[in-house]
Amino acid sequence: MKLLTYKTKDTEPRLGFLHNNLIIDMEDFGEISNFPLPIDMLDLIDLGFEIIEEITEMIKETREIDFEQIGYSLDEVEILAPIQRPRKNIIGIGLNYTEHVAESARTLDTTGKLPQKPIIFSKPPTTVTGTNTNILLNPKLTQQLDWEVELAVVIGEYGKYVPKESALDYVFGYTVINDISARDCRREGQWIVSKGQDTFAPMGPYLVTKDEIPNPHNLNLSLKVNGVEKQNSNTQFMLFNIHDLIEDLSTVFTLEPGDIIATGTPAGVGAGRSPQEWMWDGDVVEATVEGIGTIVNTVKEIQ
């Protein structure tokens, strides 16, 4: 199921799902099905993955004419980030594709050695923005604004000391994140200023439930800047896959419903190119993950 957070000119943000090219309001669908459903993505996740199975069955029992009465066409809505305000920082994973390790070593202050354990950083909730919004470039802070397309994992169950073999049981679904990075803002090896500025985590357009992506380790992911392809790879080339990440992270801290893990980016970032390339005011960046969709954002310089 493709879930989304959306709004119309007449509504506040609401929860919906995509059905036959219509956006179906989740609360309205619950009303016609005599089954109360939430209006917020986090509230839905809190109900556990079993709620998706129940909704799927209700969809099968609903007439198309009923969907048409509570649905919107895509051009009638504004698609927002699936989780507009995460409860906690987004968990980022650095240097998780072998070729990206190599390109980072050439141009940044990384060693070039393959990490023996996942490299973990975080991005504050205020970094989140949706598709068709601006990425804010503050020239007083950075002259090296960079892109990173990533598959993001959304957690659906509390997990502590999760074994690899059951890691995907704790996943609710997947989305796309562009891990925007200001390469000249790292401080003594710390990444939070580089990664944590407002709007530095465009996300969406959908949260796709895990039943629609049976193998998250074979998804193409790509990124374009102004229509020119910069990144093109596949999640099979992760150094630490999702099983590894959930096992490791849940050993460090408890994973909770709604937590978001950005699983790392492949080669092709601006810092790794020769000559290096950065994003500037007016640039349009498109980040795509197979089976989920594309997020499109425009860089806007602020003073």
Side-chain angles (χ1 to χ4, degrees):
M1 182 178 299
K2 284 189 173 179
L3 302 167
L4 74 157
T5 299
Y6 77 97
K7 68 178 181 180
T8 71
K9 58 183 177 60
D10 300 318
T11 70
E12 295 297 314
R14 295 180 64 83
L15 176 64
F17 62 91
L18 192 62
H19 175 76
N20 289 344
N21 293 317
L22 286 177
I23 303 299
I24 307 301
D25 185 87
M26 188 68 76
E27 185 182 39
D28 290 346
F29 179 65
E31 288 182 2
I32 68 170
S33 302
N34 294 314
F35 190 98
L37 290 170
I39 64 170
D40 179 81
M41 188 73 75
L42 287 172
D43 290 340
L44 182 74
I45 293 171
D46 286 343
L47 295 175
F49 193 77
E50 296 77 16
I51 191 64
I52 298 301
E53 297 168 351
E54 293 186 55
I55 293 171
T56 300
E57 288 304 311
M58 290 190 293
I59 289 172
K60 294 177 182 177
E61 297 169 0
T62 303
R63 301 177 305 171
E64 286 302 314
I65 191 171
D66 294 326
F67 282 122
E68 292 171 4
Q69 292 175 351
I70 59 171
Y72 298 94
S73 63
L74 287 168
D75 59 6
E76 291 181 292
V77 307
E78 177 184 352
I79 297 178
L80 309 172
I83 300 175
Q84 285 191 280
R85 179 79 179 193
R87 294 173 179 141
K88 293 155 60 177
N89 282 17
I90 295 167
I91 304 162
I93 306 299
L95 303 176
N96 200 30
Y97 285 74
T98 304
E99 291 182 356
H100 182 50
V101 173
E103 72 175 0
S104 295
R106 290 194 299 269
T107 54
L108 299 171
D109 59 353
T110 55
T111 66
K113 296 180 181 178
L114 294 181
Q116 299 304 299
K117 292 184 177 180
I119 297 172
I120 305 168
F121 63 93
S122 73
K123 298 171 79 79
T126 46
T127 58
V128 172
T129 189
T131 188
N132 298 317
T133 63
N134 292 327
I135 297 166
L136 301 180
L137 164 62
N138 184 342
K140 296 177 182 177
L141 283 177
T142 181
Q143 295 289 309
Q144 296 183 357
L145 191 69
D146 207 346
W147 56 82
E148 294 189 6
V149 61
E150 307 196 7
L151 172 68
V153 177
V154 180
I155 297 297
E157 300 284 344
Y158 287 92
K160 184 67 176 174
Y161 303 117
V162 176
K164 286 183 185 180
E165 56 269 19
S166 60
L168 294 187
D169 293 342
Y170 293 79
V171 172
F172 189 85
Y174 306 92
T175 190
V176 183
I177 278 184
N178 190 348
D179 176 18
I180 302 299
S181 306
R183 302 297 185 190
D184 47 359
C185 287
R186 290 186 295 167
R187 298 179 181 177
E188 299 298 327
Q190 295 180 357
W191 294 4
I192 189 72
V193 180
S194 168
K195 303 282 194 174
Q197 297 176 38
D198 291 354
T199 71
F200 274 23
M203 184 192 307
Y206 306 109
L207 193 168
V208 179
T209 54
K210 64 180 178 181
D211 55 308
E212 289 205 10
I213 300 181
N215 182 10
H217 300 115
N218 188 23
L219 299 176
N220 293 324
L221 66 170
S222 61
L223 182 139
K224 297 178 181 179
V225 178
N226 298 328
V228 179
E229 186 173 88
K230 302 296 183 180
Q231 293 181 279
N232 192 327
S233 188
N234 189 286
T235 56
Q236 67 181 292
F237 300 117
M238 287 183 191
L239 183 58
F240 300 102
N241 66 23
I242 295 166
H243 301 272
D244 300 323
L245 295 176
I246 289 177
E247 180 186 59
D248 183 72
L249 291 168
S250 69
T251 301
V252 179
F253 44 73
T254 302
L255 294 175
E256 299 178 308
D259 283 355
I260 301 165
I261 305 169
T263 59
T265 198
V269 301
R273 308 183 80 84
S274 182
Q276 291 180 325
E277 299 177 14
W278 312 115
M279 294 189 294
W280 302 102
D281 185 59
D283 284 347
V284 176
V285 56
E286 304 169 64
T288 302
V289 177
E290 180 184 1
I292 301 174
T294 299
I295 50 175
V296 182
N297 299 92
T298 301
V299 176
K300 182 175 179 57
E301 182 175 313
I302 60 172
Q303 300 300 322

